[in-house]
Amino acid sequence: MLGTPGLLTRGFWLSVSRGTNLRGMTEIDTSPPTTSAPTAERFTPAQKIAMAVLLTANFTLAVDFSILNVALPHIGHELGFDTGGLQWIVTSFALCAAGFTLFFGRVADLFGRKRLFLVGIALLGTSSLAGGLAAEPALLLTARVGQGTATAMVTPAALSLMTTVFPEGPARSRALGLNGALMAAGFTAGAVLGGVLTGTVSWRWAFFVNVAVALAVILVAPFVLREPAAGTRPRLDVPGAVAVTFALVALVFGIDTAGHAGWTHPGAWGPLLASAVLFTVFLAIESRVAEPLIAPALLKRRNIAWGNLAGLLAFATETSLVFLLTLYLQEILGYSAVTAGLILGVLGIGTVLGGLVAPKIIGRTGSKTVIITGFVTQAAATLPLVFVSDSRGWLVPLLIVTFAGGVANLVAIVGYAVASTSGVPADQQGLATGLVTMSQQVGIALGTPIMSAITVSVAAATLLPGIKLAIGANTALTLAAAILVALFLKLPGENRAA
């Protein structure tokens, strides 16, 4: 019933995901900063260069998440994908990007963030080249697996580099805000660029763009990225890594299947059940091994547990809202896919602005207050959309409220990234940022299928009643997120036992 627009939008935002992850390490002196460094908001020249490299990499990944959205039908026609097989172009990427992110977050801690970052960028370039040259579905899907795996490597490594080079305070908040803003811009730019490239040149350039950026990053990064000398490195918790990776893969696969086959389909509830079992096994393993993948004490920190839940809900609500609005603009108001993407670019501009202003607000009020304020404002901006009609007169109000909601959502996202990495020892920052990435990926994968199921649950001549019901549910979920954060999130400074 949802047809191609639903598939394309799901492809766009499942690919998006990925992440808001940062941590910039430059080939500068990373010895303990001077007295003023921890609280300084301005970056040194060397830090600026390192940030440029890391932000370029993350921006490219964000573009990559969305750039194939409009191109999917063209890819299917040229390479011989059937309609049902097209979703695997998206799913194969999402499974690897979400499933391996926690594992690679820990690998970054154990074997070096810079090293993992460079390996991931090299894999991204190689996979993108293969995708651009693909002449059959199997090679394209293999390339997408490589891109998803590269994303799982690069995003936690880059975020952990940023949080390592910038101590807690205004500078780190600014770095995270810039990262969020650039990634949000990348998501929007990818949707527009994908349509332009597909219509004027070829969808293959959606892959080739990554190759050029990867080469540039590889040439510059070794000279400007540096991390402190590693101390004693514990062994990797292989059983725990295997269990949590398969649990995440099963979770994303089950959610993705539910989005296009329904929640009662065995392909949906079977993997979800398996995921629950595997997560239980993982927790049992972590409580017994001497050097766990995730120290239980880390998960007991309320800023990490509840901060990441806030991040999951922030991504689930806003990305699924974009899915609903794309359906509304195309199926109800009759706009083309490219026009709908341009209209939603206003929301993208709002997210960029949110990423830029969030650090200043955090500096004045604190990350918890920012998350709550962001969610409440986002809900207030979403609520009017419950009353949309089939009249194009709704376009201007839609632009206004989606812009405001985009600002608010990114403010909440930067707030959760700051809260979820606060008070974490340097040797566990890769894991903490891996959790940040994981909550983002799972949120993106979770939100759209749920809202899709709500939309089609209302039997009507058009999708409009279902879309309005889903937008109402989205608003309620956003308010619930604000309440949960207000009640349960505690920052290390507020409660040392948190």
Side-chain angles (χ1 to χ4, degrees), residues 203-443:
W203 59 265
R204 295 181 184 276
W205 280 95
F207 287 94
F208 293 147
V209 167
N210 289 342
V211 178
V213 175
L215 285 174
V217 170
I218 288 174
L219 289 174
V220 177
F223 302 100
V224 300
L225 301 182
R226 186 186 295 275
E227 57 187 326
T232 303
R233 287 171 173 164
R235 289 178 295 180
L236 180 63
D237 172 22
V238 176
V242 171
V244 75
T245 298
F246 278 104
L248 288 169
V249 168
L251 176 64
V252 174
F253 181 74
I255 292 170
D256 181 74
T257 302
H260 62 266
W263 290 92
T264 59
H265 191 280
W269 59 260
L272 292 176
L273 179 61
S275 177
V277 172
L278 286 167
F279 273 122
T280 302
V281 171
F282 169 68
L283 293 175
I285 292 173
E286 298 307 278
S287 65
R288 288 172 172 77
V289 297
E291 297 174 337
L293 181 69
I294 302 179
L298 191 64
L299 289 178
K300 291 179 180 178
R301 292 173 180 258
R302 291 172 68 176
N303 64 304
I304 292 179
W306 290 99
N308 278 289
L309 177 61
L312 186 154
L313 294 175
F315 279 98
T317 52
E318 193 69 4
T319 56
S320 62
L321 179 64
V322 172
F323 164 75
L324 296 172
L325 293 179
T326 302
L327 283 181
Y328 173 68
L329 291 169
Q330 295 183 60
E331 297 287 350
I332 306 302
L333 299 187
Y335 291 107
S336 68
V338 175
T339 301
L342 291 173
I343 291 171
L344 290 173
V346 173
L347 184 151
I349 295 171
T351 59
V352 172
L353 180 59
L356 295 176
V357 302
K360 297 184 182 298
I361 303 174
I362 291 173
R364 295 177 181 177
T365 64
S367 55
K368 178 177 178 178
T369 302
V370 160
I371 298 171
I372 297 169
T373 303
F375 275 133
V376 171
T377 306
Q378 180 185 334
T382 306
L383 182 60
L385 298 174
V386 174
F387 305 101
V388 293
S389 70
D390 57 4
S391 169
R392 289 195 174 186
W394 264 95
L395 181 58
V396 172
L398 183 146
L399 291 173
I400 294 172
V401 298
T402 55
F403 174 81
V407 174
N409 180 255
L410 236 293
V411 166
I413 285 174
V414 175
Y416 109 84
V418 171
S420 301
T421 55
S422 297
V424 179
D427 62 349
Q428 293 184 342
Q429 277 292 337
L431 175 58
T433 53
L435 288 169
V436 168
T437 307
M438 182 189 71
S439 62
Q440 169 185 318
Q441 301 285 7
V442 174

Side-chain angles (χ1 to χ4, degrees), residues 81-90 141:
F81 279 91
D82 57 35
T83 302
L86 274 178
Q87 60 97 12
W88 282 103
I89 297 175
V90 172
L141 292 179

